[in-house]
Amino acid sequence: MNNLLYSVFSWLYKFFTNFLPGQHAVNPNEQLVRQQIEELHLANDNIPLKNLIVDIVLRLPSLSSSSSIAHNNNQQQQQLNNSSVQQPLGNEDIIHNNDIPLVHNLLPNLFNGTYQQAINQCKNQDKLLLVYLHSPENDQTNEFLQEIFCKFEFIEFINNEFIVYANSIKEREGYIKSNEFGCTAFPFLCVVFPQDGKEYWRMDGLNELKAQLLLNNNNVVNDNATIGVDRHLIDIVLTQLIEVHERLEAQLVVHRTTRQQREFERSAREEQDRAYEESLRKDREKEEQRIREENKKLEMINQFKRKIEENERKRIEIQQNVVFYNGNESNSKLVKFKLPNGTETQFRFNSDLSFANLHQFIHSYSFKEWKPSRYSKLESDYELTLNVIPKRILPYDENEKLSSIAGKGFIIYVREAEHDEEEEFAQQHGV
């Protein structure tokens, strides 16, 4: 229902205002105000808020008066400490763009966002919410803005203690909020406690304030004496706002303490969670490292076993396929081996055998006196030295034949590579 009323109201307003004279004329100062708003990044992309700021600023006194007000406000600001009102950069910056005062010095800081976002901001900052609903056509709007809302003392107090949500009743959310608050007159102000969303103070127009001022001063106010009275309207508003703020401050402290406690507990839980996750991460890394080491160890054992199996396979293959002996003495060589352990043995070989065959013989046959290591590689771990002058090493060569060695027989010294590391590895891993 509210949305329907708002749509009808907006259409009627736009339809009839199009026929007003000068409707499309642009205030020459409006452009400068809007330019300032863009330069100061006020309201960002919030067009309704930008329009509201422009409307408020253009309702203030003449440019010369506004300049004077801004200059006086700046002097007061320089004399006060701990003020949260935005400070101008300096006297030379007070007047900007053809003597227009800096916009953000002329009115309180208006929250840029929706009503609910303003409530959430109040909860996060432990502040009260001041709601201002603006009625452009109301007769008391200019008086309120000039004598209360845009006064330096009001700006300073409000910026320190409140978050201000302002909207025009011509905008959709402003119109809806005016119905929700049950506004009976404008300009409308109220104080909302963000935690429960309830209203704890309100101002429906200026008539009640003027009546209260009249009662307090015990005199009669007439049209010619309004200046002397209006000057003190701000005192009543500030007094009431200070009272409601002091009344609600205790609740704010409770909520602030509760929020800080929750944040502390949340931070502590997060710290515990981080510590737990870090512990899990380290445990996972240790387990992964253990698995990697186990896999590496297992791979080394498998390689070791494959090496032994390969040596054994070669021994069996040599024993099955190579014929070393020859009964024909005329085509043979008698070879005496000086084995690595110091013992001796001798065999008669076919003269057509190669030096490689001698290596195969040593690698594949077990003697009573000595047995080759199961870790020795056929091609590289045996050194056969012929006992001649000078001594001659017989390499693993399939082309060199025994027939190339003079004489019917000869002595060969056998040396085998040591395998201490392999022996130790086999003992450690039970291979």
Side-chain angles (χ1 to χ4, degrees), residues 112-207:
N112 180 19
T114 65
Y115 178 83
Q116 187 56 51
Q117 289 171 341
I119 288 287
N120 294 336
Q121 186 79 347
C122 289
K123 291 179 181 178
N124 293 334
Q125 296 185 7
D126 300 308
K127 285 190 173 185
L128 300 175
L129 180 65
L130 181 68
V131 177
Y132 169 51
L133 297 180
H134 180 77
S135 176
E137 285 80 23
N138 191 276
D139 294 338
Q140 293 182 338
T141 296
N142 286 3
E143 183 179 9
F144 168 74
L145 294 175
Q146 295 175 13
E147 301 302 330
I148 298 177
F149 196 71
C150 295
K151 285 288 189 179
F152 170 75
E153 51 267 46
F154 184 85
I155 293 174
E156 181 195 22
F157 175 70
I158 294 302
N159 284 346
N160 279 334
E161 307 298 343
F162 292 85
I163 287 176
V164 182
Y165 168 80
N167 210 331
S168 171
I169 62 172
K170 293 187 177 301
E171 299 297 336
R172 184 173 184 274
E173 188 175 46
Y175 177 76
I176 293 174
K177 288 301 169 186
S178 69
N179 288 330
E180 290 179 358
F181 285 114
C183 303
T184 58
F186 295 94
F188 176 81
L189 280 180
C190 75
V191 173
V192 176
F193 191 72
Q195 276 69 22
D196 59 18
K198 293 182 180 179
E199 160 198 319
Y200 285 82
W201 176 88
R202 65 187 291 154
M203 181 198 81
D204 293 87
L206 301 180
N207 291 338

Side-chain angles (χ1 to χ4, degrees), residues 100-316:
I100 291 183
L102 288 173
V103 170
H104 67 318
N105 288 327
L106 297 179
L107 71 165
N109 297 330
L110 304 183
F111 180 77
N112 180 19
T114 65
Y115 178 83
Q116 187 56 51
Q117 289 171 341
I119 288 287
N120 294 336
Q121 186 79 347
C122 289
K123 291 179 181 178
N124 293 334
Q125 296 185 7
D126 300 308
K127 285 190 173 185
L128 300 175
L129 180 65
L130 181 68
V131 177
Y132 169 51
L133 297 180
H134 180 77
S135 176
E137 285 80 23
N138 191 276
D139 294 338
Q140 293 182 338
T141 296
N142 286 3
E143 183 179 9
F144 168 74
L145 294 175
Q146 295 175 13
E147 301 302 330
I148 298 177
F149 196 71
C150 295
K151 285 288 189 179
F152 170 75
E153 51 267 46
F154 184 85
I155 293 174
E156 181 195 22
F157 175 70
I158 294 302
N159 284 346
N160 279 334
E161 307 298 343
F162 292 85
I163 287 176
V164 182
Y165 168 80
N167 210 331
S168 171
I169 62 172
K170 293 187 177 301
E171 299 297 336
R172 184 173 184 274
E173 188 175 46
Y175 177 76
I176 293 174
K177 288 301 169 186
S178 69
N179 288 330
E180 290 179 358
F181 285 114
C183 303
T184 58
F186 295 94
F188 176 81
L189 280 180
C190 75
V191 173
V192 176
F193 191 72
Q195 276 69 22
D196 59 18
K198 293 182 180 179
E199 160 198 319
Y200 285 82
W201 176 88
R202 65 187 291 154
M203 181 198 81
D204 293 87
L206 301 180
N207 291 338
E208 187 176 343
L209 290 178
K210 290 184 178 182
Q212 185 176 348
L213 183 62
L214 176 63
L215 181 62
N216 291 344
N217 293 340
N218 196 24
N219 58 30
V220 177
V221 179
N222 54 51
D223 292 338
N224 295 326
T226 54
I227 296 179
V229 175
D230 291 342
R231 185 180 58 208
H232 303 288
L233 288 176
I234 187 173
D235 298 330
I236 297 179
V237 174
L238 283 177
T239 299
Q240 294 179 1
L241 287 175
I242 290 172
E243 288 176 355
V244 71
H245 186 274
E246 290 177 348
R247 190 168 73 249
L248 296 174
E249 176 65 22
Q251 296 183 52
L252 284 177
V253 170
V254 171
H255 284 284
R256 182 184 303 117
T257 303
T258 303
R259 180 177 59 81
Q260 291 174 347
Q261 180 64 25
R262 285 199 303 266
E263 290 178 354
F264 174 78
E265 292 173 355
R266 178 182 56 79
S267 177
R269 285 195 302 270
E270 289 178 352
E271 183 63 29
Q272 290 175 352
D273 291 343
R274 283 194 294 269
Y276 178 70
E277 290 296 331
E278 180 65 15
S279 177
L280 286 180
R281 185 187 64 79
K282 290 182 178 179
D283 289 344
R284 285 195 299 269
E285 289 182 351
K286 288 180 181 179
E287 181 63 15
E288 291 171 357
Q289 179 65 20
R290 186 191 67 79
I291 292 174
R292 285 194 297 270
E293 291 177 354
E294 285 292 331
N295 291 338
K296 182 179 179 180
K297 175 181 174 182
L298 183 61
E299 179 60 24
M300 290 175 62
I301 292 175
N302 290 335
Q303 288 181 356
F304 190 78
K305 288 180 177 180
R306 286 195 294 270
K307 176 182 176 181
I308 295 175
E309 291 171 356
E310 177 65 16
N311 283 343
E312 184 63 23
R313 184 189 65 77
K314 285 186 176 181
R315 286 190 175 95
I316 295 174

Side-chain angles (χ1 to χ4, degrees), residues 351-416:
S351 298
D352 294 331
L353 293 178
S354 66
F355 291 173
N357 292 137
L358 285 181
H359 282 262
Q360 292 172 353
F361 176 79
I362 296 296
H363 181 73
S364 60
Y365 279 83
S366 296
F367 308 96
K368 290 186 297 183
E369 301 84 357
W370 173 79
K371 183 178 181 180
S373 171
R374 61 176 180 166
Y375 313 119
S376 293
K377 293 181 181 180
L378 170 61
E379 295 84 358
S380 60
D381 286 352
Y382 301 104
E383 181 181 282
L384 306 184
T385 304
L386 187 62
N387 187 24
V388 294
I389 300 176
K391 290 184 178 181
R392 177 184 175 188
I393 295 177
L394 306 181
Y396 186 89
D397 189 339
E398 295 182 352
N399 297 318
E400 288 279 351
K401 306 295 182 181
L402 293 184
S403 57
S404 66
I405 303 175
K408 295 287 186 179
F410 43 83
I411 299 174
I412 293 178
Y413 289 88
V414 179
R415 293 184 61 188
E416 183 183 29

Side-chain angles (χ1 to χ4, degrees), residues 4-64:
L4 178 60
L5 289 174
Y6 169 75
S7 300
V8 173
F9 175 79
S10 298
W11 181 85
L12 289 173
Y13 172 77
K14 292 177 181 178
F15 177 79
F16 286 108
T17 52
N18 281 334
F19 298 99
L20 295 177
Q23 173 65 18
H24 300 287
V26 178
N27 187 328
N29 296 322
E30 180 177 345
Q31 264 187 330
L32 300 177
V33 173
R34 290 189 180 277
Q35 181 180 345
Q36 257 205 54
I37 291 174
E38 295 299 329
E39 291 175 355
L40 297 172
H41 303 290
L42 299 178
N44 294 331
D45 296 327
N46 191 335
I47 295 177
L49 183 57
K50 288 181 181 180
N51 293 336
L52 177 60
I53 293 174
V54 171
D55 192 35
I56 291 175
V57 171
L58 294 183
R59 291 172 183 270
L60 298 180
S62 63
L63 291 181
S64 59

